[in-house]
Amino acid sequence: MSRAQQLMGDIAPKLAELTDDVLFGDVWARPGLSPRDRSLITVAALIALNRTDQLRSHLGVGIQNGLTEDELVEVITHLAFYAGWPVAVGAVGVLREVTR
């Protein structure tokens, strides 16, 4: 059973199916960007949008896809000036939870 199925398949089976088949089965599998680059983009978007629940899992995916903690800290620091200081400080806390 996929992570999407575990998280929402019982209440939103179509959303879980779309997550598995379209988002991860198609969009994330496209050859135009590496999984590492897709993780970097996704993490940056989630930080900027202050989506901490999704950020937790995508930080872990990013690390699995080759992002380093130092690179993630740089992304957060950079975004502090574009997305806002509170968002960046919150992202540091999430990164600490994921990596410690």
Side-chain angles (χ1 to χ4, degrees):
M1 180 179 290
S2 73
R3 183 76 175 133
Q5 291 296 327
Q6 292 171 353
L7 290 174
M8 61 185 135
D10 63 324
I11 193 163
K14 187 61 177 181
L15 183 57
E17 177 186 334
L18 290 168
T19 300
D20 289 338
D21 296 346
V22 178
L23 178 58
F24 291 108
D26 182 24
V27 174
W28 272 80
R30 293 172 52 84
L33 293 170
S34 69
R36 183 188 182 284
D37 290 345
R38 289 189 190 280
S39 284
L40 188 64
I41 293 162
T42 302
V43 165
L46 293 171
I47 291 168
L49 295 169
N50 199 24
R51 303 296 197 257
T52 55
D53 287 341
Q54 293 293 310
L55 180 59
R56 278 180 187 81
S57 63
H58 278 284
L59 286 169
V61 171
I63 291 167
Q64 290 174 0
N65 284 337
L67 295 174
T68 67
E69 185 175 330
D70 288 343
E71 289 171 321
L72 292 168
V73 169
E74 284 300 317
V75 169
I76 293 167
T77 302
H78 189 80
L79 286 171
F81 294 91
Y82 291 92
W85 213 264
V87 175
V89 171
V92 167
V94 175
L95 180 60
R96 180 181 292 118
E97 289 175 17
V98 170
T99 59
R100 302 291 189 262

